[in-house]
Amino acid sequence: MSIAESLLPEFDQEMTVTRKHLERTPAAHADWKPHAKSMTLGGLAVHIAEVPSWITSTLARTELDLNPPGGPAYVSPKFQSVPALLALFDDHVKRGRAAIVAASDKDFMVPWSLKSGGTVFFTMPRIAVIRSFVMNHMIHHRGQFTVYLRLKDVAVPSSYGPTADETM
């Protein structure tokens, strides 16, 4: 079994679960945040929707500099609406899945680096980047998002088992 074949079931499951969460984004509260140091609810939702796009860039390049010397820093799009959020997510999932399918085991083993201002934060094989920096990162923020939903009294969907609002 190839790396891609072993990764796809997890990818598909996590994307399905994540979409269920994003569908419940309360657009009227997009600018709300639970603490001054927190992201806004809409900003967090957009961040989660963007994460699958990192798979495509990880498999296409060997590094990402979020603030390249002499170049513009990365800026996330702003929350516009739930339909726009879901379209963004769906597009990134489709492209990320296609990139996984197209990648060879050798492609997954190529070292990849995350940088900011030319400073390297980490270098790992692409498969480790996809599992940790992409998938686990998205799951972490999805968990954070469930707290936002709960604080805004939105029913929290199940992820790996029942919630107080949903029994699978």
mmCIF file of all heavy atoms in Angstrom, residues 54-65 106-115 120-127 129 133:
data_model
loop_
_atom_site.group_PDB
_atom_site.id
_atom_site.type_symbol
_atom_site.label_atom_id
_atom_site.label_comp_id
_atom_site.label_asym_id
_atom_site.label_seq_id
_atom_site.Cartn_x
_atom_site.Cartn_y
_atom_site.Cartn_z
ATOM 1 N N TRP A 54 -2.736 23.769 2.314
ATOM 2 C CA TRP A 54 -1.321 23.594 2.624
ATOM 3 C C TRP A 54 -0.790 22.272 2.073
ATOM 4 O O TRP A 54 0.410 22.134 1.848
ATOM 5 C CB TRP A 54 -1.086 23.672 4.123
ATOM 6 C CG TRP A 54 -1.488 24.971 4.752
ATOM 7 C CD1 TRP A 54 -1.895 26.122 4.124
ATOM 8 C CD2 TRP A 54 -1.536 25.250 6.138
ATOM 9 N NE1 TRP A 54 -2.190 27.089 5.042
ATOM 10 C CE2 TRP A 54 -1.980 26.583 6.293
ATOM 11 C CE3 TRP A 54 -1.263 24.503 7.273
ATOM 12 C CZ2 TRP A 54 -2.136 27.172 7.540
ATOM 13 C CZ3 TRP A 54 -1.421 25.094 8.512
ATOM 14 C CH2 TRP A 54 -1.852 26.420 8.642
ATOM 15 N N ILE A 55 -1.670 21.302 1.881
ATOM 16 C CA ILE A 55 -1.239 20.028 1.302
ATOM 17 C C ILE A 55 -0.727 20.262 -0.116
ATOM 18 O O ILE A 55 0.341 19.779 -0.488
ATOM 19 C CB ILE A 55 -2.380 18.998 1.310
ATOM 20 C CG1 ILE A 55 -2.704 18.603 2.753
ATOM 21 C CG2 ILE A 55 -2.010 17.774 0.464
ATOM 22 C CD1 ILE A 55 -3.938 17.756 2.901
ATOM 23 N N THR A 56 -1.477 21.012 -0.894
ATOM 24 C CA THR A 56 -1.098 21.289 -2.272
ATOM 25 C C THR A 56 0.247 22.000 -2.329
ATOM 26 O O THR A 56 1.136 21.602 -3.090
ATOM 27 C CB THR A 56 -2.184 22.145 -2.957
ATOM 28 O OG1 THR A 56 -3.456 21.514 -2.754
ATOM 29 C CG2 THR A 56 -1.932 22.292 -4.438
ATOM 30 N N SER A 57 0.413 23.036 -1.519
ATOM 31 C CA SER A 57 1.676 23.777 -1.544
ATOM 32 C C SER A 57 2.829 22.952 -0.972
ATOM 33 O O SER A 57 3.961 23.057 -1.446
ATOM 34 C CB SER A 57 1.541 25.119 -0.820
ATOM 35 O OG SER A 57 1.221 24.935 0.531
ATOM 36 N N THR A 58 2.554 22.106 0.019
ATOM 37 C CA THR A 58 3.603 21.257 0.587
ATOM 38 C C THR A 58 4.136 20.276 -0.455
ATOM 39 O O THR A 58 5.344 20.059 -0.562
ATOM 40 C CB THR A 58 3.072 20.481 1.813
ATOM 41 O OG1 THR A 58 2.696 21.421 2.820
ATOM 42 C CG2 THR A 58 4.107 19.527 2.372
ATOM 43 N N LEU A 59 3.240 19.708 -1.249
ATOM 44 C CA LEU A 59 3.666 18.735 -2.251
ATOM 45 C C LEU A 59 4.200 19.390 -3.529
ATOM 46 O O LEU A 59 4.861 18.729 -4.323
ATOM 47 C CB LEU A 59 2.514 17.771 -2.567
ATOM 48 C CG LEU A 59 2.188 16.804 -1.422
ATOM 49 C CD1 LEU A 59 0.883 16.072 -1.684
ATOM 50 C CD2 LEU A 59 3.335 15.830 -1.191
ATOM 51 N N ALA A 60 3.957 20.676 -3.704
ATOM 52 C CA ALA A 60 4.437 21.376 -4.905
ATOM 53 C C ALA A 60 5.785 22.059 -4.690
ATOM 54 O O ALA A 60 6.518 22.294 -5.653
ATOM 55 C CB ALA A 60 3.411 22.414 -5.352
ATOM 56 N N ARG A 61 6.103 22.403 -3.426
ATOM 57 C CA ARG A 61 7.335 23.130 -3.134
ATOM 58 C C ARG A 61 8.093 22.442 -2.011
ATOM 59 O O ARG A 61 7.580 21.522 -1.385
ATOM 60 C CB ARG A 61 6.991 24.567 -2.723
ATOM 61 C CG ARG A 61 6.243 25.345 -3.802
ATOM 62 C CD ARG A 61 6.149 26.829 -3.494
ATOM 63 N NE ARG A 61 5.504 27.149 -2.234
ATOM 64 C CZ ARG A 61 4.255 27.595 -2.110
ATOM 65 N NH1 ARG A 61 3.511 27.764 -3.161
ATOM 66 N NH2 ARG A 61 3.765 27.885 -0.929
ATOM 67 N N THR A 62 9.268 22.947 -1.725
ATOM 68 C CA THR A 62 10.062 22.382 -0.629
ATOM 69 C C THR A 62 10.127 23.308 0.579
ATOM 70 O O THR A 62 10.763 22.976 1.572
ATOM 71 C CB THR A 62 11.499 22.060 -1.093
ATOM 72 O OG1 THR A 62 12.103 23.259 -1.592
ATOM 73 C CG2 THR A 62 11.494 20.967 -2.151
ATOM 74 N N GLU A 63 9.474 24.462 0.486
ATOM 75 C CA GLU A 63 9.446 25.374 1.629
ATOM 76 C C GLU A 63 8.321 26.375 1.467
ATOM 77 O O GLU A 63 7.788 26.574 0.370
ATOM 78 C CB GLU A 63 10.769 26.124 1.772
ATOM 79 C CG GLU A 63 11.073 27.080 0.647
ATOM 80 C CD GLU A 63 12.396 27.812 0.841
ATOM 81 O OE1 GLU A 63 13.381 27.195 1.286
ATOM 82 O OE2 GLU A 63 12.435 29.020 0.550
ATOM 83 N N LEU A 64 7.981 26.977 2.591
ATOM 84 C CA LEU A 64 7.025 28.075 2.615
ATOM 85 C C LEU A 64 7.569 29.114 3.575
ATOM 86 O O LEU A 64 7.862 28.790 4.732
ATOM 87 C CB LEU A 64 5.642 27.607 3.078
ATOM 88 C CG LEU A 64 4.608 28.707 3.324
ATOM 89 C CD1 LEU A 64 4.291 29.467 2.038
ATOM 90 C CD2 LEU A 64 3.349 28.134 3.946
ATOM 91 N N ASP A 65 7.728 30.340 3.079
ATOM 92 C CA ASP A 65 8.141 31.447 3.932
ATOM 93 C C ASP A 65 6.924 32.353 4.086
ATOM 94 O O ASP A 65 6.465 32.970 3.120
ATOM 95 C CB ASP A 65 9.318 32.210 3.322
ATOM 96 C CG ASP A 65 10.000 33.119 4.336
ATOM 97 O OD1 ASP A 65 9.292 33.750 5.151
ATOM 98 O OD2 ASP A 65 11.237 33.177 4.312
ATOM 99 N N LYS A 106 8.061 8.567 -2.915
ATOM 100 C CA LYS A 106 9.290 9.372 -2.940
ATOM 101 C C LYS A 106 8.967 10.855 -2.708
ATOM 102 O O LYS A 106 9.681 11.549 -1.975
ATOM 103 C CB LYS A 106 10.004 9.177 -4.274
ATOM 104 C CG LYS A 106 11.343 9.841 -4.361
ATOM 105 C CD LYS A 106 12.028 9.539 -5.685
ATOM 106 C CE LYS A 106 13.338 10.304 -5.772
ATOM 107 N NZ LYS A 106 14.026 10.078 -7.039
ATOM 108 N N ASP A 107 7.884 11.348 -3.326
ATOM 109 C CA ASP A 107 7.472 12.746 -3.134
ATOM 110 C C ASP A 107 7.198 13.053 -1.659
ATOM 111 O O ASP A 107 7.522 14.133 -1.169
ATOM 112 C CB ASP A 107 6.206 13.064 -3.936
ATOM 113 C CG ASP A 107 6.389 13.007 -5.429
ATOM 114 O OD1 ASP A 107 7.512 13.252 -5.919
ATOM 115 O OD2 ASP A 107 5.387 12.709 -6.128
ATOM 116 N N PHE A 108 6.588 12.097 -0.963
ATOM 117 C CA PHE A 108 6.253 12.297 0.449
ATOM 118 C C PHE A 108 7.488 12.350 1.347
ATOM 119 O O PHE A 108 7.417 12.862 2.460
ATOM 120 C CB PHE A 108 5.316 11.192 0.949
ATOM 121 C CG PHE A 108 3.890 11.349 0.513
ATOM 122 C CD1 PHE A 108 3.319 10.469 -0.397
ATOM 123 C CD2 PHE A 108 3.097 12.376 1.011
ATOM 124 C CE1 PHE A 108 1.999 10.600 -0.787
ATOM 125 C CE2 PHE A 108 1.769 12.515 0.633
ATOM 126 C CZ PHE A 108 1.217 11.630 -0.278
ATOM 127 N N MET A 109 8.602 11.826 0.881
ATOM 128 C CA MET A 109 9.819 11.768 1.695
ATOM 129 C C MET A 109 10.732 12.984 1.512
ATOM 130 O O MET A 109 11.707 13.147 2.231
ATOM 131 C CB MET A 109 10.615 10.499 1.370
ATOM 132 C CG MET A 109 9.917 9.231 1.807
ATOM 133 S SD MET A 109 9.681 9.242 3.595
ATOM 134 C CE MET A 109 7.930 9.008 3.719
ATOM 135 N N VAL A 110 10.413 13.877 0.585
ATOM 136 C CA VAL A 110 11.228 15.068 0.324
ATOM 137 C C VAL A 110 11.161 16.007 1.533
ATOM 138 O O VAL A 110 10.067 16.293 2.045
ATOM 139 C CB VAL A 110 10.739 15.789 -0.952
ATOM 140 C CG1 VAL A 110 11.419 17.136 -1.143
ATOM 141 C CG2 VAL A 110 10.933 14.895 -2.169
ATOM 142 N N PRO A 111 12.290 16.515 2.014
ATOM 143 C CA PRO A 111 12.274 17.476 3.134
ATOM 144 C C PRO A 111 11.551 18.772 2.749
ATOM 145 O O PRO A 111 11.681 19.252 1.621
ATOM 146 C CB PRO A 111 13.754 17.743 3.410
ATOM 147 C CG PRO A 111 14.480 16.582 2.820
ATOM 148 C CD PRO A 111 13.659 16.154 1.630
ATOM 149 N N TRP A 112 10.810 19.306 3.700
ATOM 150 C CA TRP A 112 10.040 20.539 3.503
ATOM 151 C C TRP A 112 10.266 21.428 4.722
ATOM 152 O O TRP A 112 10.302 20.946 5.850
ATOM 153 C CB TRP A 112 8.560 20.187 3.359
ATOM 154 C CG TRP A 112 7.678 21.343 3.004
ATOM 155 C CD1 TRP A 112 7.331 21.753 1.756
ATOM 156 C CD2 TRP A 112 6.999 22.233 3.911
ATOM 157 N NE1 TRP A 112 6.476 22.841 1.825
ATOM 158 C CE2 TRP A 112 6.270 23.154 3.144
ATOM 159 C CE3 TRP A 112 6.960 22.340 5.300
ATOM 160 C CZ2 TRP A 112 5.499 24.158 3.700
ATOM 161 C CZ3 TRP A 112 6.186 23.359 5.866
ATOM 162 C CH2 TRP A 112 5.469 24.256 5.063
ATOM 163 N N SER A 113 10.388 22.737 4.493
ATOM 164 C CA SER A 113 10.679 23.682 5.587
ATOM 165 C C SER A 113 9.625 24.775 5.683
ATOM 166 O O SER A 113 9.174 25.304 4.664
ATOM 167 C CB SER A 113 12.039 24.351 5.367
ATOM 168 O OG SER A 113 13.067 23.398 5.358
ATOM 169 N N LEU A 114 9.288 25.130 6.902
ATOM 170 C CA LEU A 114 8.452 26.297 7.184
ATOM 171 C C LEU A 114 9.374 27.396 7.664
ATOM 172 O O LEU A 114 10.198 27.170 8.563
ATOM 173 C CB LEU A 114 7.403 26.001 8.247
ATOM 174 C CG LEU A 114 6.527 27.198 8.637
ATOM 175 C CD1 LEU A 114 5.657 27.640 7.467
ATOM 176 C CD2 LEU A 114 5.672 26.864 9.850
ATOM 177 N N LYS A 115 9.228 28.570 7.062
ATOM 178 C CA LYS A 115 10.072 29.712 7.399
ATOM 179 C C LYS A 115 9.228 30.955 7.643
ATOM 180 O O LYS A 115 8.087 31.050 7.198
ATOM 181 C CB LYS A 115 11.024 30.033 6.239
ATOM 182 C CG LYS A 115 11.985 28.936 5.864
ATOM 183 C CD LYS A 115 12.824 29.374 4.677
ATOM 184 C CE LYS A 115 13.860 28.351 4.297
ATOM 185 N NZ LYS A 115 14.693 28.830 3.176
ATOM 186 N N VAL A 120 14.193 29.440 9.539
ATOM 187 C CA VAL A 120 13.557 28.129 9.460
ATOM 188 C C VAL A 120 12.971 27.765 10.823
ATOM 189 O O VAL A 120 13.680 27.750 11.828
ATOM 190 C CB VAL A 120 14.569 27.044 9.009
ATOM 191 C CG1 VAL A 120 13.917 25.669 9.015
ATOM 192 C CG2 VAL A 120 15.129 27.362 7.636
ATOM 193 N N PHE A 121 11.657 27.477 10.826
ATOM 194 C CA PHE A 121 11.002 27.004 12.053
ATOM 195 C C PHE A 121 11.173 25.505 12.203
ATOM 196 O O PHE A 121 11.393 25.003 13.287
ATOM 197 C CB PHE A 121 9.520 27.351 12.064
ATOM 198 C CG PHE A 121 9.228 28.805 12.265
ATOM 199 C CD1 PHE A 121 8.306 29.456 11.464
ATOM 200 C CD2 PHE A 121 9.849 29.535 13.254
ATOM 201 C CE1 PHE A 121 8.021 30.792 11.647
ATOM 202 C CE2 PHE A 121 9.569 30.885 13.447
ATOM 203 C CZ PHE A 121 8.650 31.511 12.633
ATOM 204 N N PHE A 122 11.007 24.781 11.100
ATOM 205 C CA PHE A 122 11.225 23.345 11.124
ATOM 206 C C PHE A 122 11.409 22.830 9.706
ATOM 207 O O PHE A 122 10.996 23.457 8.741
ATOM 208 C CB PHE A 122 10.084 22.590 11.825
ATOM 209 C CG PHE A 122 8.746 22.667 11.125
ATOM 210 C CD1 PHE A 122 8.454 21.872 10.017
ATOM 211 C CD2 PHE A 122 7.754 23.505 11.597
ATOM 212 C CE1 PHE A 122 7.217 21.934 9.394
ATOM 213 C CE2 PHE A 122 6.513 23.576 10.974
ATOM 214 C CZ PHE A 122 6.249 22.787 9.870
ATOM 215 N N THR A 123 12.035 21.659 9.618
ATOM 216 C CA THR A 123 12.175 20.919 8.370
ATOM 217 C C THR A 123 11.828 19.470 8.682
ATOM 218 O O THR A 123 12.361 18.892 9.639
ATOM 219 C CB THR A 123 13.611 21.008 7.817
ATOM 220 O OG1 THR A 123 13.934 22.385 7.582
ATOM 221 C CG2 THR A 123 13.756 20.226 6.519
ATOM 222 N N MET A 124 10.919 18.914 7.898
ATOM 223 C CA MET A 124 10.490 17.520 8.062
ATOM 224 C C MET A 124 10.180 16.948 6.685
ATOM 225 O O MET A 124 9.933 17.702 5.741
ATOM 226 C CB MET A 124 9.207 17.443 8.898
ATOM 227 C CG MET A 124 9.331 17.891 10.325
ATOM 228 S SD MET A 124 7.829 17.527 11.297
ATOM 229 C CE MET A 124 6.737 18.840 10.772
ATOM 230 N N PRO A 125 10.118 15.620 6.579
ATOM 231 C CA PRO A 125 9.632 15.041 5.326
ATOM 232 C C PRO A 125 8.191 15.497 5.083
ATOM 233 O O PRO A 125 7.427 15.709 6.035
ATOM 234 C CB PRO A 125 9.677 13.529 5.580
ATOM 235 C CG PRO A 125 10.605 13.346 6.728
ATOM 236 C CD PRO A 125 10.512 14.597 7.542
ATOM 237 N N ARG A 126 7.830 15.645 3.838
ATOM 238 C CA ARG A 126 6.488 16.135 3.500
ATOM 239 C C ARG A 126 5.370 15.331 4.174
ATOM 240 O O ARG A 126 4.366 15.911 4.578
ATOM 241 C CB ARG A 126 6.296 16.103 1.984
ATOM 242 C CG ARG A 126 7.049 17.184 1.253
ATOM 243 C CD ARG A 126 6.908 16.959 -0.230
ATOM 244 N NE ARG A 126 7.393 18.068 -1.025
ATOM 245 C CZ ARG A 126 7.776 17.939 -2.283
ATOM 246 N NH1 ARG A 126 7.745 16.744 -2.879
ATOM 247 N NH2 ARG A 126 8.189 18.978 -2.963
ATOM 248 N N ILE A 127 5.529 14.014 4.276
ATOM 249 C CA ILE A 127 4.467 13.220 4.917
ATOM 250 C C ILE A 127 4.277 13.648 6.360
ATOM 251 O O ILE A 127 3.150 13.739 6.846
ATOM 252 C CB ILE A 127 4.709 11.692 4.800
ATOM 253 C CG1 ILE A 127 3.521 10.913 5.356
ATOM 254 C CG2 ILE A 127 5.998 11.280 5.476
ATOM 255 C CD1 ILE A 127 2.183 11.193 4.711
ATOM 256 N N VAL A 129 4.899 16.632 7.525
ATOM 257 C CA VAL A 129 4.280 17.957 7.439
ATOM 258 C C VAL A 129 2.770 17.810 7.239
ATOM 259 O O VAL A 129 1.974 18.478 7.908
ATOM 260 C CB VAL A 129 4.910 18.785 6.298
ATOM 261 C CG1 VAL A 129 4.156 20.090 6.083
ATOM 262 C CG2 VAL A 129 6.377 19.056 6.586
ATOM 263 N N PHE A 133 1.655 19.308 10.633
ATOM 264 C CA PHE A 133 1.434 20.732 10.364
ATOM 265 C C PHE A 133 0.104 20.989 9.669
ATOM 266 O O PHE A 133 -0.496 22.043 9.842
ATOM 267 C CB PHE A 133 2.594 21.274 9.532
ATOM 268 C CG PHE A 133 2.510 22.742 9.206
ATOM 269 C CD1 PHE A 133 2.514 23.692 10.207
ATOM 270 C CD2 PHE A 133 2.436 23.160 7.890
ATOM 271 C CE1 PHE A 133 2.450 25.048 9.909
ATOM 272 C CE2 PHE A 133 2.374 24.507 7.580
ATOM 273 C CZ PHE A 133 2.382 25.454 8.591
#
